[in-house]
Amino acid sequence: MHARSQVWAFMMSFAEIESLVLKRVKRPAFESMLAFVQANPPDLWGVEKPRGFLRMNLILALYNHLTGTGFHKISLMIKSTLNLSKRSLSRNCDRIFKLLDEWSNVHIKAGTQNEWRAAARKSGFSVHAQDADLLIDSVDLPLERRRG
């Protein structure tokens, strides 16, 4: 398959991206994130900033994080809705991720090792899984992937 046709084979509209994100991130959590980002608006890049620009960038940042889709591919996918270069999209997402880090410190409680063990015992998992400890998860380590 030709490289250009490979890109078009995976095209999604912004509405499809938004739908996917809102299926994975429950609406109350999304609305809370949006309210936090709106209360602390980052300086986002974009020649044209249509109504809902901040919300659109939040959705794209979450889509990037949830799927691992590169900024170049995302910028091609949304070109008809939001004309952002991959560099602008990458910078905007970085700004939003910094705010979401602050949001997570307020809204997400990690718990202690004893709390995790008690929750595992009450979970209904098999006996072998009840003694497992959560050592790390994906947010403990920086994502290492090529941008674009």
Side-chain angles (χ1 to χ4, degrees):
M1 187 181 274
H2 188 270
R4 180 174 281 165
S5 58
Q6 285 179 338
V7 170
W8 296 114
F10 298 102
M11 296 301 286
M12 293 175 69
S13 68
F14 181 81
E16 291 170 317
I17 291 172
E18 181 178 21
S19 176
L20 186 143
V21 168
L22 293 178
K23 282 181 186 170
R24 302 268 306 268
V25 178
K26 300 303 179 207
R27 190 162 292 276
F30 177 78
E31 295 298 335
S32 176
M33 289 179 207
L34 180 60
F36 187 84
V37 171
Q38 287 174 332
N40 305 285
D43 179 30
L44 300 180
W45 283 359
V47 176
E48 297 174 7
K49 295 182 182 179
R51 184 177 180 160
F53 185 71
L54 182 57
R55 183 179 189 279
M56 294 168 102
N57 275 275
L58 174 60
I59 288 169
L60 295 172
L62 292 171
Y63 178 77
N64 166 260
H65 189 70
L66 291 169
T67 66
T69 304
F71 295 113
H72 179 72
K73 186 181 270 186
I74 294 172
S75 67
L76 291 174
M77 292 164 59
I78 60 154
K79 196 157 196 73
S80 64
T81 305
L82 192 62
N83 191 10
L84 281 177
S85 69
K86 71 176 186 176
R87 184 173 174 181
S88 294
L89 181 60
S90 171
R91 182 185 179 279
N92 291 353
C93 288
D94 285 345
R95 297 279 172 124
I96 289 172
F97 287 142
K98 286 177 183 168
L99 285 174
L100 292 181
D101 181 47
E102 293 176 34
W103 174 87
S104 69
N105 290 333
V106 173
H107 291 86
I108 298 174
K109 181 182 176 209
T112 64
Q113 186 176 22
N114 289 334
E115 290 171 329
W116 280 96
R117 285 184 177 167
R121 278 188 231 105
K122 296 176 187 175
S123 67
F125 293 140
S126 71
V127 175
H128 301 293
Q130 289 179 2
D131 289 335
D133 288 331
L134 179 65
L135 299 178
I136 62 170
D137 67 17
S138 63
V139 294
D140 293 325
L141 303 171
L143 294 177
E144 293 186 23
R145 65 175 181 252
R146 195 175 137 259
R147 291 184 180 234

